[in-house]
């Protein structure tokens, strides 16, 4: 059974993951309509992943005797100045999500809910991986310095990354 505090924190996190999914969907749409098909595929896949993160929390809350609640969401940013700006926003957002996850984890320790603490460790590990992936992409973009050939190459790489993550999920 979840305490009210933990149930509320998990429901808040459901909103954070759902919002992340919409943010990446909006970014994917921007990329697709601005000549970056690889980045679009990567961000569409990222949006699906965030929805999966949300669902994992939904099932956990319901399985532990709570009720998952969906709230209203802020509209995502629809337009960007460049692909670099998109990925800078992705990294900033992932850092925000990590801090929210750490708050939930901290609360599980305060409330001595070690089961939920263990459940949240999956999210902590996932954030480490995502922040590092996004940092890697940004480093490459900064190296390319907006040069067309470099950005074209990075877009192709993002496409390959999206295809690889889709193939891993299908296994
Ligand atoms: Fe939900 O994985 Fe990052 O944000």
């Amino acid at each position: 059974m979840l305490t009210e505090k933990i149930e509320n924190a998990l429901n808040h996190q459901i909103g954070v993951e759902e919002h992340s999914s919409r943010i990446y969907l909006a970014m994917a749409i921007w990329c697709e309509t601005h000549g970056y098909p690889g980045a679009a595929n990567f961000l569409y896949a990222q949006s699906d992943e965030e929805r999966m993160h949300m669902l994992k929390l939904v099932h956990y809350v319901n399985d532990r005797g709570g009720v998952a609640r969906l709230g209203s969401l802020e509209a995502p940013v629809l337009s960007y100045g460049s692909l670099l700006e998109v990925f800078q926003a992705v990294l900033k957002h992932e850092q925000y999500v990590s801090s929210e996850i750490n708050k939930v984890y901290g609360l599980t320790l305060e409330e001595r809910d070690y089961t939920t603490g263990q459940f949240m460790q999956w999210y902590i590990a996932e954030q480490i991986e995502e922040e590092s992936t996004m940092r890697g992409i940004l480093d490459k973009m900064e190296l390319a310095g907006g040069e067309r050939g470099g950005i074209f190459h990075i877009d192709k790489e993002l496409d390959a990354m999206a295809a690889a993550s889709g193939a891993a999920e299908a296994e």
Side-chain angles (χ1 to χ4, degrees), residues 116-133:
T116 303
Q118 199 182 25
F119 171 77
M120 289 310 294
Q121 280 175 14
W122 182 87
Y123 286 83
I124 293 174
E126 182 72 13
Q127 284 307 119
I128 294 172
E129 194 189 308
E130 286 185 347
E131 278 193 36
S132 129
T133 303

Side-chain angles (χ1 to χ4, degrees), residues 78-166:
L78 301 178
S79 131
Y80 291 89
S82 64
L83 193 62
L84 178 67
E85 215 180 83
V86 170
F87 279 87
Q88 281 168 338
V90 172
L91 179 60
K92 197 165 164 223
H93 183 71
E94 286 302 329
Q95 287 165 338
Y96 159 74
V97 174
S98 298
S99 75
E100 290 302 295
I101 284 169
N102 287 341
K103 278 189 213 161
V104 180
Y105 185 68
L107 190 67
T108 66
L109 298 181
E110 266 172 41
E111 297 277 296
R112 297 173 185 251
D113 180 349
Y114 302 119
T115 312
T116 303
Q118 199 182 25
F119 171 77
M120 289 310 294
Q121 280 175 14
W122 182 87
Y123 286 83
I124 293 174
E126 182 72 13
Q127 284 307 119
I128 294 172
E129 194 189 308
E130 286 185 347
E131 278 193 36
S132 129
T133 303
M134 299 312 167
R135 235 180 245 113
I137 295 168
L138 262 182
D139 285 349
K140 282 186 191 165
M141 283 186 183
E142 273 157 13
L143 264 178
E147 185 250 318
R148 276 179 72 92
I151 295 292
F152 178 79
H153 186 74
I154 291 165
D155 190 61
K156 286 256 169 272
E157 250 184 70
L158 288 169
D159 205 20
M161 284 166 83
S165 81

Side-chain angles (χ1 to χ4, degrees), residues 19 21-34 43 74-82 85-86 89:
H19 192 215
S21 177
R22 295 238 305 160
I23 288 175
Y24 296 151
L25 183 59
M27 288 174 171
I29 293 168
W30 184 87
C31 290
E32 193 166 41
T33 53
H34 286 79
L43 288 162
E74 204 183 305
V77 173
L78 301 178
S79 131
Y80 291 89
S82 64
E85 215 180 83
V86 170

